[in-house]
Amino acid sequence: MIQQRINKIWAEALDLNDIGENDDFFALGGHSLIMARIQGAIKDEFGTEIPMDELFRHSTVAGISTYLESRVSAA
């Protein structure tokens, strides 16, 4: 499932064990450098790049997962 894989990427990048699907990236201590690492990890994991502005716009695991699912199903 995409959401579980995104959650794992976020947990590793933020060095956290418990991230809820609706927890905000910035409220969890995220910043642009961590987001760049997440962007690279998503590209490695899924073979598609999410533009940085979309990562900032969808700042939850659920939001990024939904965005990514729409990109994958459109391809």
Side-chain angles (χ1 to χ4, degrees):
M1 173 178 228
I2 287 177
Q3 189 165 322
Q4 291 171 329
R5 292 160 65 189
I6 294 291
N7 191 293
K8 182 179 178 196
I9 289 169
W10 277 38
E12 289 174 2
L14 292 164
D15 197 26
L16 296 172
N17 292 322
D18 188 27
I19 297 176
E21 66 182 38
N22 293 308
D23 288 346
D24 184 76
F25 171 78
F26 302 103
L28 295 171
H31 53 76
S32 59
L33 294 176
I34 294 173
M35 190 63 84
R37 278 189 253 145
I38 288 172
Q39 183 184 38
I42 289 172
K43 185 174 182 180
D44 291 345
E45 179 76 18
F46 296 99
T48 188
E49 186 169 338
I50 297 177
M52 189 63 71
D53 63 322
E54 293 296 338
L55 289 169
F56 281 98
R57 190 172 293 122
H58 306 286
S59 62
T60 65
V61 168
I64 290 297
S65 299
T66 300
Y67 177 81
L68 187 58
E69 286 170 357
S70 72
R71 299 249 343 230
V72 170
S73 65

